[in-house]
Amino acid sequence: MSNNINHENQPEKKPTPQEEKIYEEAGAKKIIDDDGCCSSKKGKPEKHSDDDGHDHDHDNSDKTTFQMFLPAIVSFFVLLAGIVIDNFILQGWFKDWVRIIWYAVAYIPVGLPVLKEAYESIIKGDIFSEFFLMSIATVGAFAIGEYPEGVAVMLFYSVGEVFQTLAVSRAKSNIKALLDQRPDEVTILENNQPKTIPADQAKIGDIIQLKSGEKLALDGELISDSASFNTAALTGESKPDTKNKGESVLAGMINLQTIAQVKVTTAYEDSKLSKILELVQNATAQKAPTELFIRKFARVYTPIVVGLAVLICFLPYFFVDEYIFRDWLYRALVFLVISCPCALVISIPLGYFGGIGAASKNGILFKGSNFLDIIANIQNVVMDKTGTMTEGVFKVQEVNIKPEFDKDELLKMVNALESKSTHPVATAIHDYVGKIDQSLELQNTEEIAGHGLKANAKGKELLVGNFKLMDKFSIQYDIDPSEIIYTVIAIAYDGKFAGYITIADNIKEDAKQTVERLHSLNVKATMLSGDKSTVVKFVAQQLGIDNAFGDLLPEDKVNKVKEIKSRNETVAFVGDGVNDAPVVALSDVGIAMGGLGSDATIETADVVIQDDKPSKIPMAINIGKQTRKIVWQNIILAFAVKGVVLILGAGGLATMWEAVFADVGVALLAILNAVRIQKMKF
């Protein structure tokens, strides 16, 4: 994406050791791998190279919840029995080495994996990890004889890790649902006989036979007369979509009715769904500034608190009358437990991960969590008209040709020339005129950006476009274009004005609601279009859009966006992501409408709305705002609670039990808050 330089090359993407472990145990490692090593450009997973030196063989994603909690359950009951014997059923044999071994047995199931992770982190050069803090604090507790507290700290820490893993698994489910949309096998017709083959072996031109309830594995063209499809997995839209013969159908769609036949038009690895899967797999590699800050903060903060803990332990020796090493070591250990940044390093990425998942479920794809942050602060939405707020399906309303020209002959030439263009106007003219006369030969065909088309037809110059094209070639005309409310296609032949065609486009049914919701979010709406000003202002007036400008060339759109940005206001541009590339590049966030229709759109946009509904624009902004709100709630909660308990711990007023709450308790509260976004209705 070429939008802004700050969208790319973001530093410090390396996850913290605990974050890496949590994601791996949740089975989400391949989806959020920052190296991108698990997704290729074709959307297929690549074999991991283990360049990071981390052993991936211990992936626990296939463990049941009970298996994940089992070490903690064993530890809990051994610890509980020890506390009961210590305090309620006093036994003479339960002392010295017997007592130490008993609590060591309680410690090993939950402590050994953490000690191992601490060792591996140190070997990789990451000394001050969360595992290191927990290891020092709990081993230190054993060293001063506080065995139950040492076990309890590690037990609750491990339970917290399991809850974090489960939370990430839940956040992953929305994204994984999308990644699982494509079946592994397809039924093709070979000599009119059905044959089941692996989906990636299907070739372009093969005919797929799709039964009712089956998912399509590859993009293709419907060759049955009609079929109804469930597109919810791709667009978030539950309403069935009926396709007619010759229309495109996409991988991931589910056939709802009778058997349908689809001709494969795209290779398995090049399908729209493959491109979307790659986009989603790589989404969390682009980190939000808040997330990057927390990671950097944790890497600086952890060594500092270890240093402070050392000072708390030894510095009082020089200032207090009765220095007792054991008491001050205990305070230092409490301080270490409290200072562990678990709540921040897991709950914040989880908040963004959940935001991306919630958006995916609603048919909105964010290319990175950084765009969730940016879109939350958007003050202006600048939108194209055609295909964004209107349906983009034009119909000819009026044909006005001067009597000195042969109307039928002229329309045939216009139809032949417009066939060289992919603009919706060309489709409208073709639908009106009919089949292209192949006997007509056009020479020197040229498209003039922002104006129209020019060619030589039957040895004479033919111009078809807007009235700026007429002005450019000094064609005199006797009408006032501003008095015609519809889009006007002017025609000139042999240096003379020959007449015009008017074309109209319908406004989308949710367009007005979109503008109202944008206003409720305090976002201003501006419409920029190359269409004539009267049409643009008419549409804007009906929708309640704040500002509207028509008759714009691509460079004019750029200037309008620059004008907004000169006021130090943020801008999201909504369009097709291809024709408006300069504006997309200038905007803070590029949003593509109808992303399933264009490969290039998926490549260029920061946010892809998978159906043509403009109402998803304010929804995307709202998801960004809610994600940011949850992230900052977690940051404030963690800092506030930890700050208070740190002071109490340093002063000897907080025990290990308060430390456990300040660490694991706050982490769990933050995680529960983070997963809320997946339950929200947008």
Side-chain angles (χ1 to χ4, degrees), residues 218-359:
L218 298 95
D219 294 355
E221 177 187 318
L222 185 66
I223 56 176
S224 302
D225 289 335
S226 68
S228 184
F229 292 92
N230 179 344
T231 64
L234 296 167
T235 64
E237 175 56 62
S238 57
K239 185 179 176 183
D241 188 3
T242 300
K243 301 287 186 182
N244 297 314
K245 185 174 182 177
E247 288 191 301
S248 295
V249 286
L250 302 173
M253 290 183 174
I254 302 172
N255 183 24
L256 294 177
Q257 295 176 345
T258 55
I259 291 175
Q261 292 185 354
V262 176
K263 181 180 178 181
V264 177
T265 57
T266 308
Y268 182 84
E269 64 270 16
D270 291 327
S271 70
K272 301 287 191 305
L273 185 59
S274 287
K275 294 178 186 298
I276 292 168
L277 301 193
E278 182 186 357
L279 185 157
V280 176
Q281 283 174 320
N282 294 334
T284 50
Q286 294 289 338
K287 300 298 175 190
T290 311
E291 198 172 354
L292 290 172
F293 167 75
I294 290 300
R295 285 186 174 182
K296 289 178 181 177
F297 171 81
R299 293 179 191 281
V300 174
Y301 160 87
T302 309
I304 290 173
V305 296
V306 171
L308 289 174
V310 171
L311 292 176
I312 288 171
C313 182
F314 295 106
L315 198 60
Y317 174 80
F318 301 101
F319 298 100
V320 298
D321 294 330
E322 295 183 13
Y323 175 80
I324 303 172
F325 174 74
R326 184 185 178 283
D327 290 348
W328 287 101
L329 176 60
Y330 182 77
R331 292 188 190 187
L333 296 176
V334 169
F335 186 86
L336 278 180
V337 174
I338 298 165
S339 65
C340 185
C342 307
L344 296 172
V345 298
I346 288 298
S347 67
I348 290 168
L350 180 59
Y352 287 111
F353 196 28
I356 289 171

Side-chain angles (χ1 to χ4, degrees), residues 55 62 73 92 140 146 154 157 184 236 260 274 296 342 363 369 373 426 438 453 491 615 623 634-635 638 641:
D55 180 8
D62 56 348
I73 293 170
E146 300 289 349
M154 194 62 85
Y157 175 77
D184 296 324
S274 287
K296 289 178 181 177
C342 307
S369 51
D373 255 13
Q438 299 296 338
L453 298 164
I491 305 165
S615 54
I623 289 172
N634 286 347
I635 289 172
V641 174

